[in-house]
Amino acid sequence: MSDNLQCGKHRACLVQLYRHLLISCRQSLHLELALAEHPTPCSWSEPAGGPEPGSCYVPGVTDTELVTRYYDLFNRGDWDGMCALLADDVAHDLNQGERQVGKPAFRAFLERMARSYREQLRDISVLGDGRGRAGAEYVVEGEYVATDEGLPAARGQRYTLPGGAFFEVRGGHIARVTNYYNLTDWLRQVGA
Amino acid sequence: MSDNLQCGKHRACLVQLYRHLLISCRQSLHLELALAEHPTPCSWSEPAGGPEPGSCYVPGVTDTELVTRYYDLFNRGDWDGMCALLADDVAHDLNQGERQVGKPAFRAFLERMARSYREQLRDISVLGDGRGRAGAEYVVEGEYVATDEGLPAARGQRYTLPGGAFFEVRGGHIARVTNYYNLTDWLRQVGA
């Protein structure tokens, strides 16, 4: 992240620098504290009406920190942890596909993905508006290991694919994930 | 935007509230000032090495304000204004398509779009990381007025389509726009 920190060089960016430092400090401090105090997967960010039953949110953790945690858990293959960040009625918009609703559908999706793809996300940029909307852009480094329904045959093809997602955060949980990537580009890379 | 402002109700959000107020005040103040002082289309945000030749950036205007301006100009059909916000070598990633590079290609794309589609974006959420990366999510209210190459015949079909984009800002200009929407959903709505 620091390689993109152009702020300190420029006179007009004190506010941005302040925000960057604030975010960095809070991320490292709060996430460390949270991991130490809440070893079980939990839901963070600021609930509008206080923490929901069964959640263990950490006060003061922002929506963008929640999204950062979501992708950290993805890269660790921690599906339980990811699902704990979701609202029960989470809406999940599949790339170029339909909307699925609810944690069980989300969990089934993660498991289907895990059977067919080995993926790590890198260069993750998390974006926010500080009011419950967030986004992320990243690059997927993947391997297509088992044929997915309706798609070309898998034979261990590797791919590098930019992607992004948009989020709504409600009551300290992720209430919507809308995923996007260039399916045409992916199909070309796996030799469809 | 204010209907999503849950912060004030909650004890743990002073920092977010502060950031929200800061962003809101700067948006309204700087954009008003900028519009009053720079009536011609111009490029904003913080250039890393000072303003580029020919640009008229306003110090202290953030990347998200630049993106807000981009969509405002889109909704006003001001293609000159939009192009003035772009870097000369802007990269434009078409939804499910290829990357086009350069302002002339971007301009040609806008003109092709204007022939086939009448669109207004609403519910625009602009997201940022304060370090040159931004995003936006919105809903397109559109009408398909003239057949676009390779797509179904136009007969004035109306559509409502969520979409989003990611941006890189460099030297006060938009250096990349990556657009996403659900093409499958659009095709369904125009009766393909």
Side-chain angles (χ1 to χ4, degrees):
Chain A
M1 287 184 163
S2 59
D3 59 356
N4 203 15
L5 180 63
Q6 305 168 334
C7 270
K9 300 172 192 161
H10 197 264
R11 67 192 158 76
C13 69
L14 279 176
V15 170
Q16 271 197 309
L17 183 63
Y18 168 71
R19 287 164 66 191
H20 171 78
L21 290 172
L22 195 69
I23 291 163
S24 298
C25 290
R26 292 176 73 213
Q27 265 180 346
S28 52
L29 187 66
H30 282 266
L31 284 177
E32 287 304 317
L33 281 173
L35 285 167
E37 293 173 14
H38 300 271
T40 53
C42 60
S43 304
W44 295 347
S45 193
E46 298 88 349
E52 291 185 2
S55 77
C56 51
Y57 92 102
V58 179
V61 173
T62 65
D63 301 333
T64 51
E65 286 160 357
L66 185 70
V67 170
T68 300
R69 173 92 176 128
Y70 173 90
Y71 287 113
D72 181 48
L73 291 163
F74 177 87
N75 275 344
R76 288 195 264 151
D78 185 346
W79 306 157
D80 287 338
M82 287 180 79
C83 288
L85 302 184
L86 307 174
D88 286 341
D89 62 345
V90 62
H92 181 208
D93 296 315
L94 275 59
N95 183 64
Q96 304 302 310
E98 81 280 12
R99 168 168 289 191
Q100 297 181 339
V101 176
K103 273 195 202 192
F106 194 96
R107 176 75 194 219
F109 174 85
L110 286 175
E111 284 167 3
R112 194 193 99 201
M113 289 290 288
R115 278 194 297 275
S116 292
Y117 310 91
R118 241 176 252 142
E119 294 187 335
Q120 285 286 300
L121 308 190
R122 63 168 168 84
D123 300 339
I124 303 169
S125 286
V126 177
L127 314 166
D129 71 352
R131 283 166 289 165
R133 300 287 287 267
E137 207 183 9
Y138 43 76
V139 175
V140 183
E141 293 289 353
E143 189 180 356
Y144 186 31
V145 292
T147 303
D148 196 1
E149 196 186 327
L151 292 173
R155 41 186 169 76
Q157 302 97 313
R158 291 185 181 273
Y159 50 91
T160 298
L161 195 67
F166 295 100
F167 296 84
E168 278 182 45
V169 177
R170 193 183 63 226
H173 292 82
I174 292 171
R176 175 174 61 90
V177 188
T178 298
N179 285 306
Y180 290 113
Y181 64 86
N182 189 328
L183 180 62
T184 314
D185 188 3
W186 183 81
L187 288 168
R188 187 186 54 75
Q189 291 191 49
V190 300
Chain B
M1 284 180 164
S2 60
D3 59 357
N4 204 14
L5 180 63
Q6 304 169 334
C7 269
K9 301 172 192 162
H10 197 265
R11 67 191 158 77
C13 69
L14 279 175
V15 170
Q16 268 198 310
L17 184 62
Y18 168 72
R19 287 164 65 190
H20 171 77
L21 289 172
L22 195 70
I23 291 164
S24 298
C25 291
R26 292 176 72 212
Q27 264 179 347
S28 51
L29 188 66
H30 282 266
L31 284 177
E32 287 305 316
L33 282 173
L35 285 167
E37 293 173 15
H38 299 272
T40 52
C42 61
S43 303
W44 296 346
S45 193
E46 299 89 349
E52 293 185 1
S55 76
C56 50
Y57 93 103
V58 179
V61 174
T62 64
D63 301 333
T64 51
E65 286 160 358
L66 185 70
V67 170
T68 301
R69 173 93 177 129
Y70 173 90
Y71 286 113
D72 182 48
L73 291 162
F74 177 86
N75 275 344
R76 289 196 264 151
D78 184 347
W79 306 157
D80 287 339
M82 287 180 78
C83 288
L85 302 184
L86 306 174
D88 287 340
D89 61 345
V90 61
H92 181 208
D93 296 316
L94 276 57
N95 182 65
Q96 305 301 311
E98 81 279 14
R99 167 168 290 192
Q100 298 181 339
V101 176
K103 273 196 203 195
F106 194 95
R107 176 76 194 217
F109 174 83
L110 286 175
E111 283 167 3
R112 195 193 99 200
M113 289 289 288
R115 278 194 295 277
S116 293
Y117 310 91
R118 240 176 254 141
E119 294 187 336
Q120 285 286 300
L121 308 190
R122 63 170 169 83
D123 300 340
I124 303 169
S125 287
V126 177
L127 315 166
D129 72 350
R131 282 166 290 164
R133 301 288 287 267
E137 207 182 11
Y138 44 77
V139 176
V140 183
E141 293 289 355
E143 188 181 355
Y144 186 32
V145 291
T147 302
D148 195 3
E149 197 186 327
L151 292 173
R155 41 185 170 76
Q157 301 97 312
R158 292 185 181 273
Y159 51 91
T160 298
L161 195 67
F166 295 101
F167 296 84
E168 278 182 46
V169 178
R170 193 183 61 225
H173 292 83
I174 293 171
R176 175 173 61 88
V177 188
T178 298
N179 285 307
Y180 290 113
Y181 63 87
N182 189 329
L183 179 62
T184 315
D185 188 1
W186 184 81
L187 289 168
R188 187 186 54 75
Q189 291 192 50
V190 300

PDB file of all heavy atoms in Angstrom, chain B residues 137-160:
ATOM      1  N   GLU B 137     -20.703   3.206  -7.970  1.00  0.00           N
ATOM      2  CA  GLU B 137     -21.787   2.282  -8.265  1.00  0.00           C
ATOM      3  C   GLU B 137     -23.030   3.126  -8.508  1.00  0.00           C
ATOM      4  O   GLU B 137     -23.204   4.171  -7.878  1.00  0.00           O
ATOM      5  CB  GLU B 137     -21.983   1.318  -7.086  1.00  0.00           C
ATOM      6  CG  GLU B 137     -22.579   0.005  -7.523  1.00  0.00           C
ATOM      7  CD  GLU B 137     -22.835  -0.943  -6.363  1.00  0.00           C
ATOM      8  OE1 GLU B 137     -22.744  -0.514  -5.194  1.00  0.00           O
ATOM      9  OE2 GLU B 137     -23.143  -2.114  -6.631  1.00  0.00           O
ATOM     10  N   TYR B 138     -23.884   2.685  -9.417  1.00  0.00           N
ATOM     11  CA  TYR B 138     -25.026   3.513  -9.810  1.00  0.00           C
ATOM     12  C   TYR B 138     -26.086   2.625 -10.441  1.00  0.00           C
ATOM     13  O   TYR B 138     -25.882   1.417 -10.657  1.00  0.00           O
ATOM     14  CB  TYR B 138     -24.572   4.591 -10.805  1.00  0.00           C
ATOM     15  CG  TYR B 138     -23.643   4.076 -11.865  1.00  0.00           C
ATOM     16  CD1 TYR B 138     -24.134   3.336 -12.942  1.00  0.00           C
ATOM     17  CD2 TYR B 138     -22.266   4.272 -11.776  1.00  0.00           C
ATOM     18  CE1 TYR B 138     -23.284   2.826 -13.899  1.00  0.00           C
ATOM     19  CE2 TYR B 138     -21.407   3.768 -12.737  1.00  0.00           C
ATOM     20  CZ  TYR B 138     -21.921   3.049 -13.797  1.00  0.00           C
ATOM     21  OH  TYR B 138     -21.075   2.529 -14.732  1.00  0.00           O
ATOM     22  N   VAL B 139     -27.212   3.242 -10.752  1.00  0.00           N
ATOM     23  CA  VAL B 139     -28.260   2.554 -11.505  1.00  0.00           C
ATOM     24  C   VAL B 139     -28.461   3.328 -12.805  1.00  0.00           C
ATOM     25  O   VAL B 139     -28.611   4.551 -12.789  1.00  0.00           O
ATOM     26  CB  VAL B 139     -29.567   2.494 -10.695  1.00  0.00           C
ATOM     27  CG1 VAL B 139     -30.687   1.875 -11.529  1.00  0.00           C
ATOM     28  CG2 VAL B 139     -29.357   1.708  -9.402  1.00  0.00           C
ATOM     29  N   VAL B 140     -28.425   2.623 -13.915  1.00  0.00           N
ATOM     30  CA  VAL B 140     -28.644   3.230 -15.227  1.00  0.00           C
ATOM     31  C   VAL B 140     -30.131   3.141 -15.566  1.00  0.00           C
ATOM     32  O   VAL B 140     -30.716   2.061 -15.523  1.00  0.00           O
ATOM     33  CB  VAL B 140     -27.853   2.479 -16.324  1.00  0.00           C
ATOM     34  CG1 VAL B 140     -28.025   3.173 -17.673  1.00  0.00           C
ATOM     35  CG2 VAL B 140     -26.392   2.352 -15.960  1.00  0.00           C
ATOM     36  N   GLU B 141     -30.729   4.286 -15.876  1.00  0.00           N
ATOM     37  CA  GLU B 141     -32.079   4.295 -16.466  1.00  0.00           C
ATOM     38  C   GLU B 141     -31.874   4.581 -17.945  1.00  0.00           C
ATOM     39  O   GLU B 141     -31.409   5.668 -18.309  1.00  0.00           O
ATOM     40  CB  GLU B 141     -32.940   5.390 -15.830  1.00  0.00           C
ATOM     41  CG  GLU B 141     -33.282   5.159 -14.380  1.00  0.00           C
ATOM     42  CD  GLU B 141     -34.290   4.024 -14.159  1.00  0.00           C
ATOM     43  OE1 GLU B 141     -34.815   3.457 -15.143  1.00  0.00           O
ATOM     44  OE2 GLU B 141     -34.523   3.701 -12.985  1.00  0.00           O
ATOM     45  N   GLY B 142     -32.195   3.617 -18.791  1.00  0.00           N
ATOM     46  CA  GLY B 142     -31.820   3.768 -20.186  1.00  0.00           C
ATOM     47  C   GLY B 142     -32.928   3.439 -21.161  1.00  0.00           C
ATOM     48  O   GLY B 142     -33.941   2.813 -20.818  1.00  0.00           O
ATOM     49  N   GLU B 143     -32.693   3.880 -22.399  1.00  0.00           N
ATOM     50  CA  GLU B 143     -33.592   3.565 -23.507  1.00  0.00           C
ATOM     51  C   GLU B 143     -32.696   3.204 -24.693  1.00  0.00           C
ATOM     52  O   GLU B 143     -31.731   3.924 -25.006  1.00  0.00           O
ATOM     53  CB  GLU B 143     -34.457   4.796 -23.825  1.00  0.00           C
ATOM     54  CG  GLU B 143     -35.552   4.493 -24.827  1.00  0.00           C
ATOM     55  CD  GLU B 143     -36.395   5.735 -25.143  1.00  0.00           C
ATOM     56  OE1 GLU B 143     -36.173   6.786 -24.508  1.00  0.00           O
ATOM     57  OE2 GLU B 143     -37.239   5.651 -26.047  1.00  0.00           O
ATOM     58  N   TYR B 144     -33.034   2.091 -25.335  1.00  0.00           N
ATOM     59  CA  TYR B 144     -32.228   1.581 -26.442  1.00  0.00           C
ATOM     60  C   TYR B 144     -32.863   2.083 -27.736  1.00  0.00           C
ATOM     61  O   TYR B 144     -33.864   1.548 -28.195  1.00  0.00           O
ATOM     62  CB  TYR B 144     -32.215   0.057 -26.350  1.00  0.00           C
ATOM     63  CG  TYR B 144     -31.322  -0.663 -27.327  1.00  0.00           C
ATOM     64  CD1 TYR B 144     -30.125  -0.115 -27.788  1.00  0.00           C
ATOM     65  CD2 TYR B 144     -31.662  -1.946 -27.763  1.00  0.00           C
ATOM     66  CE1 TYR B 144     -29.308  -0.815 -28.666  1.00  0.00           C
ATOM     67  CE2 TYR B 144     -30.857  -2.656 -28.630  1.00  0.00           C
ATOM     68  CZ  TYR B 144     -29.677  -2.074 -29.086  1.00  0.00           C
ATOM     69  OH  TYR B 144     -28.869  -2.780 -29.955  1.00  0.00           O
ATOM     70  N   VAL B 145     -32.283   3.135 -28.322  1.00  0.00           N
ATOM     71  CA  VAL B 145     -32.971   3.883 -29.383  1.00  0.00           C
ATOM     72  C   VAL B 145     -32.504   3.559 -30.799  1.00  0.00           C
ATOM     73  O   VAL B 145     -33.233   3.806 -31.759  1.00  0.00           O
ATOM     74  CB  VAL B 145     -32.850   5.418 -29.146  1.00  0.00           C
ATOM     75  CG1 VAL B 145     -33.654   5.833 -27.924  1.00  0.00           C
ATOM     76  CG2 VAL B 145     -31.388   5.848 -29.014  1.00  0.00           C
ATOM     77  N   ALA B 146     -31.284   3.044 -30.951  1.00  0.00           N
ATOM     78  CA  ALA B 146     -30.806   2.675 -32.299  1.00  0.00           C
ATOM     79  C   ALA B 146     -29.904   1.462 -32.163  1.00  0.00           C
ATOM     80  O   ALA B 146     -29.075   1.390 -31.247  1.00  0.00           O
ATOM     81  CB  ALA B 146     -30.041   3.844 -32.930  1.00  0.00           C
ATOM     82  N   THR B 147     -30.067   0.486 -33.060  1.00  0.00           N
ATOM     83  CA  THR B 147     -29.369  -0.794 -32.936  1.00  0.00           C
ATOM     84  C   THR B 147     -27.851  -0.600 -32.897  1.00  0.00           C
ATOM     85  O   THR B 147     -27.276   0.081 -33.744  1.00  0.00           O
ATOM     86  CB  THR B 147     -29.756  -1.719 -34.111  1.00  0.00           C
ATOM     87  OG1 THR B 147     -31.181  -1.890 -34.078  1.00  0.00           O
ATOM     88  CG2 THR B 147     -29.079  -3.073 -33.991  1.00  0.00           C
ATOM     89  N   ASP B 148     -27.229  -1.202 -31.879  1.00  0.00           N
ATOM     90  CA  ASP B 148     -25.778  -1.148 -31.701  1.00  0.00           C
ATOM     91  C   ASP B 148     -25.198  -2.411 -32.341  1.00  0.00           C
ATOM     92  O   ASP B 148     -25.797  -3.489 -32.297  1.00  0.00           O
ATOM     93  CB  ASP B 148     -25.471  -1.106 -30.192  1.00  0.00           C
ATOM     94  CG  ASP B 148     -24.041  -0.685 -29.910  1.00  0.00           C
ATOM     95  OD1 ASP B 148     -23.289  -0.372 -30.856  1.00  0.00           O
ATOM     96  OD2 ASP B 148     -23.680  -0.644 -28.719  1.00  0.00           O
ATOM     97  N   GLU B 149     -24.029  -2.247 -32.929  1.00  0.00           N
ATOM     98  CA  GLU B 149     -23.378  -3.327 -33.684  1.00  0.00           C
ATOM     99  C   GLU B 149     -23.241  -4.605 -32.845  1.00  0.00           C
ATOM    100  O   GLU B 149     -22.748  -4.561 -31.719  1.00  0.00           O
ATOM    101  CB  GLU B 149     -21.988  -2.838 -34.119  1.00  0.00           C
ATOM    102  CG  GLU B 149     -21.359  -3.660 -35.224  1.00  0.00           C
ATOM    103  CD  GLU B 149     -19.935  -3.197 -35.502  1.00  0.00           C
ATOM    104  OE1 GLU B 149     -19.661  -1.990 -35.362  1.00  0.00           O
ATOM    105  OE2 GLU B 149     -19.089  -4.058 -35.831  1.00  0.00           O
ATOM    106  N   GLY B 150     -23.719  -5.701 -33.412  1.00  0.00           N
ATOM    107  CA  GLY B 150     -23.566  -6.993 -32.751  1.00  0.00           C
ATOM    108  C   GLY B 150     -24.565  -7.251 -31.638  1.00  0.00           C
ATOM    109  O   GLY B 150     -24.480  -8.265 -30.956  1.00  0.00           O
ATOM    110  N   LEU B 151     -25.515  -6.342 -31.432  1.00  0.00           N
ATOM    111  CA  LEU B 151     -26.494  -6.499 -30.354  1.00  0.00           C
ATOM    112  C   LEU B 151     -27.912  -6.575 -30.949  1.00  0.00           C
ATOM    113  O   LEU B 151     -28.103  -6.302 -32.137  1.00  0.00           O
ATOM    114  CB  LEU B 151     -26.373  -5.332 -29.369  1.00  0.00           C
ATOM    115  CG  LEU B 151     -25.063  -5.319 -28.558  1.00  0.00           C
ATOM    116  CD1 LEU B 151     -24.926  -4.063 -27.732  1.00  0.00           C
ATOM    117  CD2 LEU B 151     -24.971  -6.559 -27.653  1.00  0.00           C
ATOM    118  N   PRO B 152     -28.892  -6.961 -30.142  1.00  0.00           N
ATOM    119  CA  PRO B 152     -30.258  -7.118 -30.673  1.00  0.00           C
ATOM    120  C   PRO B 152     -30.798  -5.803 -31.256  1.00  0.00           C
ATOM    121  O   PRO B 152     -30.271  -4.729 -30.960  1.00  0.00           O
ATOM    122  CB  PRO B 152     -31.063  -7.516 -29.432  1.00  0.00           C
ATOM    123  CG  PRO B 152     -30.080  -8.016 -28.451  1.00  0.00           C
ATOM    124  CD  PRO B 152     -28.806  -7.297 -28.723  1.00  0.00           C
ATOM    125  N   ALA B 153     -31.848  -5.903 -32.051  1.00  0.00           N
ATOM    126  CA  ALA B 153     -32.450  -4.724 -32.689  1.00  0.00           C
ATOM    127  C   ALA B 153     -33.063  -3.799 -31.648  1.00  0.00           C
ATOM    128  O   ALA B 153     -33.707  -4.241 -30.697  1.00  0.00           O
ATOM    129  CB  ALA B 153     -33.519  -5.175 -33.685  1.00  0.00           C
ATOM    130  N   ALA B 154     -32.827  -2.498 -31.834  1.00  0.00           N
ATOM    131  CA  ALA B 154     -33.397  -1.493 -30.922  1.00  0.00           C
ATOM    132  C   ALA B 154     -34.810  -1.151 -31.371  1.00  0.00           C
ATOM    133  O   ALA B 154     -35.078  -1.004 -32.568  1.00  0.00           O
ATOM    134  CB  ALA B 154     -32.524  -0.245 -30.933  1.00  0.00           C
ATOM    135  N   ARG B 155     -35.702  -1.042 -30.407  1.00  0.00           N
ATOM    136  CA  ARG B 155     -37.065  -0.579 -30.682  1.00  0.00           C
ATOM    137  C   ARG B 155     -37.572   0.207 -29.467  1.00  0.00           C
ATOM    138  O   ARG B 155     -38.704   0.038 -29.039  1.00  0.00           O
ATOM    139  CB  ARG B 155     -37.988  -1.744 -31.058  1.00  0.00           C
ATOM    140  CG  ARG B 155     -37.783  -2.990 -30.225  1.00  0.00           C
ATOM    141  CD  ARG B 155     -38.594  -4.187 -30.664  1.00  0.00           C
ATOM    142  NE  ARG B 155     -38.151  -5.387 -29.967  1.00  0.00           N
ATOM    143  CZ  ARG B 155     -38.434  -5.679 -28.701  1.00  0.00           C
ATOM    144  NH1 ARG B 155     -39.201  -4.897 -27.995  1.00  0.00           N
ATOM    145  NH2 ARG B 155     -37.963  -6.790 -28.135  1.00  0.00           N
ATOM    146  N   GLY B 156     -36.685   1.048 -28.930  1.00  0.00           N
ATOM    147  CA  GLY B 156     -37.071   1.917 -27.823  1.00  0.00           C
ATOM    148  C   GLY B 156     -37.247   1.210 -26.488  1.00  0.00           C
ATOM    149  O   GLY B 156     -37.891   1.754 -25.577  1.00  0.00           O
ATOM    150  N   GLN B 157     -36.634   0.011 -26.348  1.00  0.00           N
ATOM    151  CA  GLN B 157     -36.770  -0.706 -25.072  1.00  0.00           C
ATOM    152  C   GLN B 157     -36.175   0.121 -23.924  1.00  0.00           C
ATOM    153  O   GLN B 157     -35.102   0.688 -24.075  1.00  0.00           O
ATOM    154  CB  GLN B 157     -36.010  -2.047 -25.117  1.00  0.00           C
ATOM    155  CG  GLN B 157     -36.444  -3.006 -26.188  1.00  0.00           C
ATOM    156  CD  GLN B 157     -35.541  -2.913 -27.421  1.00  0.00           C
ATOM    157  OE1 GLN B 157     -35.269  -1.818 -27.911  1.00  0.00           O
ATOM    158  NE2 GLN B 157     -35.116  -4.046 -27.918  1.00  0.00           N
ATOM    159  N   ARG B 158     -36.879   0.111 -22.800  1.00  0.00           N
ATOM    160  CA  ARG B 158     -36.352   0.774 -21.602  1.00  0.00           C
ATOM    161  C   ARG B 158     -35.744  -0.266 -20.663  1.00  0.00           C
ATOM    162  O   ARG B 158     -36.217  -1.399 -20.614  1.00  0.00           O
ATOM    163  CB  ARG B 158     -37.472   1.547 -20.885  1.00  0.00           C
ATOM    164  CG  ARG B 158     -37.945   2.733 -21.697  1.00  0.00           C
ATOM    165  CD  ARG B 158     -38.960   3.590 -20.952  1.00  0.00           C
ATOM    166  NE  ARG B 158     -39.391   4.699 -21.784  1.00  0.00           N
ATOM    167  CZ  ARG B 158     -38.762   5.876 -21.865  1.00  0.00           C
ATOM    168  NH1 ARG B 158     -37.690   6.104 -21.135  1.00  0.00           N
ATOM    169  NH2 ARG B 158     -39.201   6.832 -22.659  1.00  0.00           N
ATOM    170  N   TYR B 159     -34.711   0.137 -19.964  1.00  0.00           N
ATOM    171  CA  TYR B 159     -34.059  -0.780 -19.025  1.00  0.00           C
ATOM    172  C   TYR B 159     -33.577  -0.037 -17.784  1.00  0.00           C
ATOM    173  O   TYR B 159     -33.322   1.163 -17.823  1.00  0.00           O
ATOM    174  CB  TYR B 159     -32.886  -1.525 -19.699  1.00  0.00           C
ATOM    175  CG  TYR B 159     -31.910  -0.627 -20.422  1.00  0.00           C
ATOM    176  CD1 TYR B 159     -30.789  -0.101 -19.775  1.00  0.00           C
ATOM    177  CD2 TYR B 159     -32.103  -0.291 -21.759  1.00  0.00           C
ATOM    178  CE1 TYR B 159     -29.896   0.725 -20.440  1.00  0.00           C
ATOM    179  CE2 TYR B 159     -31.222   0.541 -22.435  1.00  0.00           C
ATOM    180  CZ  TYR B 159     -30.119   1.048 -21.768  1.00  0.00           C
ATOM    181  OH  TYR B 159     -29.250   1.880 -22.430  1.00  0.00           O
ATOM    182  N   THR B 160     -33.492  -0.784 -16.700  1.00  0.00           N
ATOM    183  CA  THR B 160     -32.971  -0.292 -15.420  1.00  0.00           C
ATOM    184  C   THR B 160     -31.887  -1.265 -15.007  1.00  0.00           C
ATOM    185  O   THR B 160     -32.170  -2.441 -14.767  1.00  0.00           O
ATOM    186  CB  THR B 160     -34.091  -0.258 -14.361  1.00  0.00           C
ATOM    187  OG1 THR B 160     -35.099   0.646 -14.806  1.00  0.00           O
ATOM    188  CG2 THR B 160     -33.557   0.218 -13.017  1.00  0.00           C
TER     189      THR B 160
END
